[in-house]
Amino acid sequence: MIPQRTLARPVQTVGVGLHSGAKVALRLLPAPPDAGIRFVRIDHSPAVEIPISADAVAETRLCTGIRRGDVGVGTIEHLLSALAGVGVDNVTIELDGPEVPIMDGSAAPFVLLLLEAGTVAQSVPRRFVRVKRPVVVEEGDKWARLEPFDGFRLSFQIEFDHPAIAASKTEAVVDFAEESYLCAVARARTFGFVHEVEQLRQMGLARGGSLENAVVLDEFRVLNPGGLRSPDEFVRHKILDAIGDLYVLGHPLLAHYRAYKSGHALNNRLLRALLADQTAWEWVTFTDSSSAGHRVGWPHRRPSLLPIPDAVPVS
């Protein structure tokens, strides 16, 4: 079978929240089978546990944030993206502040942290959400869509009225049967605009943003001394975000995600629309991991030319 996975040992790091500007300590711990991904705010007494889910998402303005009662955790999408990329199903995430550290603005530092921890297979099968028919959400000219697909593929197109972004590659397709998460997605950084910074800070946002943790643009160009990490870093980061936004489901998708100018809010609406239509999806597990290969194993598995095995629907 394709098993669930958790961390082999605890790991921790410290960083600054992108929006809060607060220093936050983050600790990742192994969790038992079927525990899922749970954030724990240990700066409260008693500590407050917040399991991830599409319904737990309460903030989609410039980040994805979850909430339970009056307690929340913001900017979870990069860490969730890394957990999806490495293939972690069950983990407890402790933090002593309101926001996951931004690190360098990408998911790469979290991937390296997870690789340092290592992962171990657990004794229960991994549960996939297989999309059975298309689901789409729209907002003006923006849209996001999930389609049936034997694997996990993302296609994204962005459009910004900015010369540096317009001059970059604004479309990208990532199929994890052909590319690895670390190489194709993880290093793409978040980006923002100088002219928006003061307004955002007056709103209590972007207080921790800098050239060290974001690609920053003025009216004409990228200000970071090293420039972009790839010609399509902007759109690749939108794919990185989408992977994290979709992983609030707590389970890997078997689907083709397609989007035009989508963001955190539309991605969450897409998940909720999918879950609301019981005819559009089903739970499946795979009994033969040797033939499942990279396509159904999600981003962390190596490519395989072997055929896709039959999925086993589960209740």
Side-chain angles (χ1 to χ4, degrees), residues 32 93 202 242:
I93 304 164
Q202 289 176 1

Side-chain angles (χ1 to χ4, degrees), residues 230-254:
S230 68
D232 55 359
E233 185 171 5
F234 299 115
V235 68
R236 293 269 173 175
H237 184 78
K238 298 294 283 187
I239 288 176
L240 183 156
D241 277 348
I243 293 171
D245 289 344
L246 296 174
Y247 209 48
V248 300
L249 186 62
H251 299 272
L253 281 164
L254 296 178

Side-chain angles (χ1 to χ4, degrees), residues 5 19 22 42 50 65 88 90 102 137 153 158 164-165 190 219 231 237 242 252 284 289 291:
R5 302 191 74 85
H19 296 300
I42 62 172
I50 312 174
V88 176
N90 304 302
I102 190 61
V137 292
R153 176 187 289 169
I158 60 173
I165 298 179
T190 192
E219 295 181 1
H237 184 78
V284 297
S289 62
S291 61

Side-chain angles (χ1 to χ4, degrees), residues 60-275:
T60 55
R61 180 182 56 171
L62 300 181
C63 73
T64 291
I66 55 175
R67 181 168 294 276
R68 184 175 185 180
D70 296 330
V71 181
V73 178
T75 319
I76 65 172
E77 63 273 14
H78 299 173
L79 175 55
L80 286 184
S81 188
L83 289 167
V86 175
V88 176
D89 301 279
N90 304 302
V91 63
T92 298
I93 304 164
E94 294 183 346
L95 64 167
D96 65 356
E99 188 178 13
V100 173
I102 190 61
M103 309 310 283
D104 73 344
S106 77
F110 294 125
V111 170
L112 295 177
L113 192 66
L114 293 168
L115 294 178
E116 178 187 341
T119 64
V120 292
Q122 298 176 290
S123 59
V124 294
R126 193 172 209 207
R127 288 160 58 93
F128 293 77
V129 172
R130 180 162 65 180
V131 173
K132 296 168 61 178
R133 66 179 188 81
V135 175
V136 63
V137 292
E138 300 174 340
E139 182 182 314
D141 65 337
K142 304 175 184 178
W143 53 265
R145 180 181 177 97
L146 287 169
E147 301 173 349
F149 183 70
D150 285 331
F152 189 51
R153 176 187 289 169
L154 301 98
S155 305
F156 210 113
Q157 182 179 358
I158 60 173
E159 185 177 325
F160 286 87
D161 185 19
H162 190 283
I165 298 179
S168 72
K169 187 177 178 183
T170 57
E171 296 182 50
V173 178
V174 176
D175 187 333
F176 289 109
E178 301 169 357
E179 298 182 84
S180 74
Y181 176 84
L182 182 58
C183 295
V185 177
R187 297 186 69 250
R189 296 163 294 176
T190 192
F191 57 95
F193 306 92
V194 169
H195 70 271
E196 295 179 347
V197 169
E198 187 57 36
Q199 179 183 0
L200 290 172
R201 288 181 175 169
Q202 289 176 1
M203 297 166 60
L205 301 171
R207 292 175 176 175
S210 72
L211 293 175
E212 300 300 317
N213 55 37
V215 177
V216 182
L217 303 99
D218 65 10
E219 295 181 1
F220 307 104
R221 66 192 188 280
V222 172
L223 298 180
N224 301 64
L228 298 177
R229 291 177 173 175
S230 68
D232 55 359
E233 185 171 5
F234 299 115
V235 68
R236 293 269 173 175
H237 184 78
K238 298 294 283 187
I239 288 176
L240 183 156
D241 277 348
I243 293 171
D245 289 344
L246 296 174
Y247 209 48
V248 300
L249 186 62
H251 299 272
L253 281 164
L254 296 178
H256 184 180
Y257 165 89
R258 298 173 58 231
Y260 174 69
K261 296 170 62 174
S262 186
H264 304 300
L266 210 55
N267 290 338
N268 187 250
R269 279 183 53 201
L270 180 64
L271 272 189
R272 292 181 186 228
L274 173 71
L275 296 175

